[in-house]
Amino acid sequence: MAAQQAAEQARLRDLGEILVDVQPPGRQCPKCKRLMHVRKTFGHRGVTLAHGSFHAREAEYVCPHGCSERTADGRDRRALVRRSPEVASLLLPRSTIGYDVLAHVGVERFVRFRRRDEIREDLLARWGIGLSTGEVSSLAKKFCVYLKALHVSRAKALGKALAADGGWPMHIDASGEDGRGTLLVIYAGWRRWVMGSWKIPTENAQAILPRIRETAQLFGAPCAVMRDLGRAVIDAARTYIASLAKPIPNLGCHMHFVRDVG
């Protein structure tokens, strides 16, 4: 099986990059409904697990009658231009790398704890995708950014799931890393979900309290707080609970207590 897979990958590499001519789904202007004209054509590479390496040739269309649209910030107007959404859905912005490659690197790095060179060798052996170890590191960092954005975008659905449990106990723990600041983690105890994690410079209430409020605002107020025995975490939890209309239990972790007693 491995030999057959290797042979297929070798055949794909021998074929070289496939040229794909990409056209938008509709050439009508969404405003005036008239036929849009080609403004320019351009080519670029793309690499995905699903399609391998390919070269896409896209056409950019513009309304010849001057229809315009507002920019994302709403402050200005620009000519109404349309490109193919298919390529944009496959590749990262301003990159030749596909989203599926990004997801694969992230899972291998943070779920399976594989080294950069292992991920690089696996991509080359299984999919014929050649990346440097530096590119693997860059994709791993981007994976964290996209994962955080996905987590925040699903905050409403996650909050509903926590509310259906009858609420959620907010577990708070801050662990110092030698010379590297402090890692603060907020955890939904019953679900065993990490609701947020942050690197903060030092363990102090002024750095912890905004994160508690941010998490409660995103996912709903907790039904209790369970925290370690650090003075900063205790002060931050007390301040947050004092701001609530209805007080909730402020609990100390027994495991931390027993460990401190020895």
Side-chain angles (χ1 to χ4, degrees):
M1 186 67 182
Q4 183 180 1
Q5 186 180 26
E8 290 298 324
Q9 290 297 336
R11 283 182 57 203
L12 286 174
R13 286 193 290 270
D14 290 340
L15 287 174
E17 290 188 353
I18 299 173
L19 178 62
V20 181
D21 205 4
V22 183
Q23 299 291 335
R27 290 182 55 187
Q28 280 189 334
C29 174
K31 288 194 172 183
C32 68
K33 306 302 180 185
R34 295 176 181 176
L35 192 65
M36 300 181 80
H37 291 181
V38 176
R39 183 165 75 171
K40 64 178 179 179
T41 59
F42 56 95
H44 58 86
R45 289 185 64 248
V47 181
T48 68
L49 299 185
H51 307 91
S53 181
F54 59 88
H55 192 90
R57 183 171 59 197
E58 286 191 79
E60 188 174 274
Y61 292 86
V62 63
C63 178
H65 299 282
C67 290
S68 61
E69 60 185 352
R70 290 204 173 274
T71 54
D73 57 13
R75 297 179 181 177
D76 200 3
R77 300 190 72 86
R78 62 186 175 189
L80 203 154
V81 178
R82 287 292 179 266
R83 287 180 56 187
S84 170
E86 283 82 2
V87 176
S89 68
L90 291 176
L91 304 179
L92 295 165
R94 297 177 295 279
S95 174
T96 62
I97 303 298
Y99 284 102
D100 55 358
V101 179
L102 173 80
H104 175 79
V105 169
V107 170
E108 293 297 303
R109 190 78 178 94
F110 300 113
V111 177
R112 299 192 174 95
F113 307 109
R114 302 187 72 184
R115 299 192 308 271
R116 295 183 306 166
D117 54 344
E118 290 180 320
I119 298 171
R120 178 175 175 272
E121 292 168 5
D122 182 59
L123 284 170
L124 186 61
R126 294 177 61 186
W127 287 283
I129 297 175
L131 298 178
S132 67
T133 52
E135 287 175 310
V136 171
S137 294
S138 177
L139 288 174
K141 292 178 181 177
K142 287 182 179 179
F143 174 83
C144 294
V145 173
Y146 276 86
L147 183 62
K148 179 182 178 181
L150 177 64
H151 182 63
V152 172
S153 71
R154 298 295 187 269
K156 189 174 181 179
L158 294 172
K160 285 184 178 179
L162 296 173
D165 294 338
W168 65 287
M170 177 187 284
H171 289 225
I172 309 169
D173 194 8
S175 301
E177 298 179 311
D178 292 340
R180 298 166 61 187
T182 299
L183 178 65
L184 173 68
V185 178
I186 294 182
Y187 191 74
W190 293 337
R191 286 274 182 167
R192 303 183 68 183
W193 289 348
V194 175
M195 309 311 295
S197 63
W198 306 266
K199 291 296 289 290
I200 56 178
T202 58
E203 188 174 341
N204 63 79
Q206 288 73 28
I208 296 171
L209 182 58
R211 302 307 186 184
I212 295 175
R213 288 174 171 161
E214 173 189 336
T215 306
Q217 185 175 6
L218 277 174
F219 306 104
C223 61
V225 169
M226 172 71 75
R227 36 90 186 145
D228 64 26
L229 304 181
R231 184 178 297 278
V233 177
I234 292 174
D235 290 344
R238 283 176 177 167
T239 303
Y240 168 69
I241 292 172
S243 69
L244 299 177
K246 182 184 294 186
I248 59 175
N250 183 5
L251 308 172
C253 175
H254 287 185
M255 184 187 74
H256 283 80
F257 174 72
V258 172
R259 186 177 62 189
D260 289 351
V261 170

